Amino acid sequence: MTRTVPLIELEGVAKDYPGPPTVRALRDAQMTVGKGEYVSIVGRSGSGKSTLLNVVGLLDRPTCGRYSFAGVDTGSLSERRRTALRARAIGFVFQGFHLMPHRTVVENVGMGLIYQGASWRQRRRIAEEKLEAVGLGSRSTALPTMLSGGEMQRVAIARALACSPSLLLCDEPTGNLDSQTADGILQIVDDLVEAQLTVLMITHDPQVAARAHRSVVVRDGRLIHDQGRG
Amino acid sequence: MRLRYVCQDALVSSVSRPSKLFLTAFGAMLGVASLVAISGLTTTAGTQIIARFDSASSTYVSIENAGEPVNHGDPRLRWASGDGVARIEGVVRVALSARLAGITSVVAVPLDDPTVPEATPPAVLAATADLGEVLGLRLSDGRMFDRGHEERGDNVVVVGAQAAGQLGVDDLALQRVVFINDVAYDVVGIFDEAIDNSFLGAVIMPARTAQTHLGATSPDVLHVIVRPGSARLVAEQGPIALAPSGPTAFAASYTPDPTDLREQVGEDTRAMFVVVGFVSMLAGTVGIMNTMLLNVMERTGEIGLRRALGAKRAEIVVQFLTESAVVGVVSGAAGSAIGMVVIVALAESRSWAPVAEWWLMPVGFALGVASGLVAGAFPAWRAARIEPASSLRAA
């Protein structure tokens, strides 16, 4: 395990959703994740895992507490700067893939680069590189509807990697896949971690969680277990 | 630069679903088509109405001496008076005539039969050769005398059908001569139609002939044919052209045009066009807005993803406005084209000449684009308000 510079630091972070009744989805969360770490987030449905991911992924602001990303206090950032930081440094992989069915694979992968100001040629070049990296170099012109579930998730990973992020957030990436396909996806994630990418993986599956360097258990909004496996 | 790429992406996004694009554009397309069609048909129908008004409006002006001259040298109509009036804008043709006095007898066969009661002779007119065309004389037999007859002072006449019946010269194959004050004249034509039926009872001869044999001195009526809508102007200008220093010596008369009625009809059709066009466009715009709102709801996940990938709210607005503009472009282009086809088809079916203003196509197109943008504004704003976390969770 590599723990040199902390990438993620949560100090007393809480997140409430206004009601009525008010739902306290996250309470007094403390967590530190270093660069190159692979952390799994486990817990039951409704325990607060996705809320944690949204906060860490700068998709949502915490109600209170302090969240620093790469040493930057994100609470002090404007909406515009948070968006820019998210686009540049964080990649997302979702259980439901979130691919646009009418756009080709290469267009899906290059989509995030539009918001980095990359031209069509640059987007295409980077997208093809990333597709090659996930083993889909030959399917760049296909539509997502022509792909299998595993291939779609690979496209989603390639899209997340297109902006060369510091952090990859995966929300149940293997939830819709059979075990063999899931293993292929997890192998890609392992390779990325090997290449010093920081990964936070939300999962229900203990086997998936076991592949991470450590697991954080979320229960009733609290991070009650933070266990390293070295 | 980023916005350019966002617009390009929105463009690709729109055209990657052509059937959806077409269906979204359909409502506004119908709106633009009906706007263009109604506008064009209004113009076409208006032109047709104007043509009907023109055909019904007066194209004849007559100018006469206003009264007897008080002093020697007071302006009077002369046989050359037509030249000045012919130069007035709107004048098509002029002719002069004089009703001859001192006609004691007009007969086909000179008989001195005291048993036959004396009949009132038909009116005898002296006229310039153009009178036939000016008065719309339709020759049922023979022809009108011409300038050659007039210049030579030939003894020729044309006879109205009524006078011909009275004189018994209604068949030129049998009888070609009439005697006026005991002088023989060849009947070269018989006319059975004129703009004024009173001419059907007259005998008309060339002016010079009348001057030579019957002492005609000057004309008493100047007949003027004008273009539709010019009657009033010619009636005003004619006396001035005849005598700039004393136009009151002449009296012009014409039938006033139904100008006010025409303008009222024009205003009514324009008002109808504005109201119906506005309603059509409104319906089309609301249609696009509804579809775009549904589109936003349907694409909540995509919006969340774009936001997660770094799209700012403004860029989401631009994305959806661009897509709306594409819908508007399709609506405007196709709607304008369909509208034009409808104009031509309906005009053709009524045997009217299709008439459309030159700006109809570009304005129809621009209205289509504008309706797309207006209709897209609210959905785009709604899209930009979507929070990425909740939308990704919902999707």
Side-chain angles (χ1 to χ4, degrees):
Chain A
M1 183 178 75
T2 306
R3 284 196 67 172
T4 49
V5 181
L7 186 69
I8 298 167
E9 279 185 288
L10 298 178
E11 292 174 35
V13 168
K15 176 65 186 176
D16 296 342
Y17 291 111
T22 302
V23 176
R24 176 146 288 193
L26 209 56
R27 305 163 192 234
D28 194 24
Q30 310 282 342
M31 185 172 75
T32 303
V33 178
K35 285 186 180 171
E37 264 199 285
Y38 182 5
V39 179
S40 61
I41 312 288
V42 293
R44 291 181 191 162
S45 291
S47 60
K49 303 188 299 294
S50 293
T51 303
L52 177 64
L53 183 133
N54 288 339
V55 169
V56 171
L58 300 175
L59 295 174
D60 224 345
R61 283 179 185 273
T63 310
C64 63
R66 185 171 180 275
Y67 167 36
S68 296
F69 184 88
V72 176
D73 180 4
T74 60
S76 63
L77 297 178
S78 64
E79 179 67 32
R80 199 180 180 84
R81 296 195 66 187
R82 279 165 62 87
T83 302
L85 179 59
R86 182 170 67 231
R88 197 179 66 244
I90 303 173
F92 296 88
V93 179
F94 304 97
Q95 182 177 359
F97 318 132
H98 286 305
L99 299 179
M100 284 189 277
H102 300 283
R103 309 298 291 272
T104 62
V105 162
V106 78
E107 285 172 339
N108 268 283
V109 173
M111 178 162 299
L113 297 168
I114 291 172
Y115 306 109
Q116 309 254 10
S119 68
W120 183 83
R121 282 178 194 281
Q122 289 169 319
R123 296 203 300 268
R124 186 172 183 86
R125 181 179 57 75
I126 294 169
E128 282 176 345
E129 274 176 22
K130 301 302 175 187
L131 283 168
E132 202 68 51
V134 297
L136 284 178
S138 60
R139 307 300 305 272
S140 61
T141 56
L143 291 173
T145 48
M146 299 157 68
L147 303 179
S148 67
E151 286 176 323
M152 284 199 269
Q153 196 57 292
R154 284 167 190 243
V155 173
I157 292 172
R159 181 182 61 199
L161 298 176
C163 63
S164 303
S166 315
L167 171 66
L168 183 65
L169 294 175
C170 304
D171 189 356
E172 300 274 10
T174 57
N176 286 344
L177 305 176
D178 62 74
S179 60
Q180 194 178 350
T181 309
D183 195 58
I185 296 297
L186 292 171
Q187 188 55 54
I188 292 171
V189 175
D190 288 348
D191 293 344
L192 293 170
V193 173
E194 194 70 29
Q196 292 299 297
L197 182 66
T198 307
V199 176
L200 245 66
M201 169 85 70
I202 289 180
T203 182
H204 280 107
D205 188 339
Q207 286 185 326
V208 173
R211 294 175 81 126
H213 298 149
R214 63 192 172 103
S215 292
V216 174
V217 178
V218 185
R219 186 175 297 157
D220 297 331
R222 293 180 193 281
L223 310 189
I224 58 170
H225 186 60
D226 189 354
Q227 177 186 309
R229 277 187 286 278
Chain B
M1 190 62 80
R2 265 174 71 157
L3 274 185
R4 203 182 93 191
Y5 297 144
V6 171
C7 290
Q8 284 173 351
D9 187 61
L11 194 64
V12 175
S13 189
S14 297
V15 298
S16 66
R17 285 167 292 181
S19 55
K20 186 166 188 173
L21 172 62
F22 180 79
L23 286 173
T24 308
F26 193 69
M29 194 187 297
L30 288 182
V32 172
S34 57
L35 186 75
V36 169
I38 289 167
S39 173
L41 288 172
T42 305
T43 312
T44 300
T47 306
Q48 197 65 23
I49 290 167
I50 287 167
R52 292 278 163 86
F53 272 117
D54 284 346
S55 67
S57 69
S58 174
T59 56
Y60 175 74
V61 177
S62 65
I63 302 174
E64 299 177 39
N65 294 316
E68 291 302 315
V70 177
N71 301 309
H72 181 71
D74 279 353
R76 306 288 293 165
L77 284 174
R78 299 190 312 275
W79 289 109
S81 292
D83 297 346
V85 174
R87 284 194 289 272
I88 298 172
E89 177 66 26
V91 171
V92 176
R93 200 175 289 276
V94 298
L96 290 131
S97 70
R99 189 183 179 99
L100 300 177
I103 302 300
T104 52
S105 72
V106 181
V107 292
V109 181
L111 288 174
D112 190 6
D113 184 353
T115 61
V116 176
E118 270 191 34
T120 306
V124 178
L125 302 179
T128 52
D130 286 336
L131 189 75
E133 288 183 52
V134 171
L135 295 184
L137 303 187
R138 193 182 71 180
L139 279 298
S140 59
D141 198 358
R143 66 194 204 49
M144 182 67 189
F145 60 78
D146 58 26
R147 285 181 194 277
H149 292 118
E150 191 182 350
E151 283 169 11
R152 290 189 300 273
D154 290 343
N155 283 13
V156 293
V157 292
V158 291
V159 182
Q162 200 179 315
Q166 183 185 339
L167 296 170
V169 292
D170 38 8
D171 186 351
L172 294 184
L174 301 173
Q175 178 67 37
R176 292 188 61 97
V177 177
V178 292
F179 293 85
I180 302 172
N181 286 2
D182 299 325
V183 178
Y185 296 85
D186 280 340
V187 179
V188 295
I190 298 171
F191 58 91
D192 61 358
E193 195 174 301
I195 57 171
D196 183 347
N197 284 338
S198 66
F199 286 101
L200 297 181
V203 176
I204 305 173
M205 66 174 64
R208 177 164 292 185
T209 308
Q211 285 171 293
T212 304
H213 297 291
L214 297 166
T217 52
S218 61
D220 45 36
V221 183
L222 174 60
H223 309 271
V224 188
I225 292 296
V226 299
R227 283 199 290 269
S230 300
R232 188 167 62 89
L233 176 76
V234 173
E236 285 171 1
Q237 298 290 317
I240 297 170
L242 289 170
S245 57
T248 53
F250 303 102
S253 59
Y254 70 100
T255 309
D257 286 339
T259 310
D260 290 346
L261 180 60
R262 184 167 73 180
E263 283 175 2
Q264 185 63 47
V265 170
E267 276 177 23
D268 288 349
T269 51
R270 271 191 294 277
M272 182 186 75
F273 151 66
V274 168
V275 170
V276 177
F278 177 75
V279 171
S280 304
M281 282 306 299
L282 191 66
T285 304
V286 170
I288 293 183
M289 189 183 288
N290 278 336
T291 315
M292 289 303 290
L293 268 175
L294 283 173
N295 197 19
V296 166
M297 288 160 69
E298 203 176 84
R299 291 165 65 189
T300 302
E302 180 195 322
I303 295 164
L305 178 74
R306 285 181 184 275
R307 295 274 287 128
L309 292 176
K312 296 178 209 155
R313 289 187 196 278
E315 286 165 338
I316 295 293
V317 169
V318 169
Q319 166 95 27
F320 277 84
L321 273 184
T322 306
E323 291 187 20
S324 295
V326 172
V327 172
V329 166
V330 172
S331 311
S336 301
I338 292 169
M340 282 294 176
V341 170
V342 169
I343 293 169
V344 173
L346 286 182
E348 189 66 27
S349 72
R350 300 282 301 163
S351 301
W352 293 351
V355 182
E357 304 286 357
W358 66 269
W359 44 260
L360 206 52
M361 284 283 275
V363 165
F365 178 75
L367 279 174
V369 176
S371 76
L373 285 173
V374 169
F378 179 64
W381 177 78
R382 283 284 296 269
R385 302 277 298 168
I386 289 172
E387 291 296 337
S390 56
S391 60
L392 287 167
R393 195 166 46 237

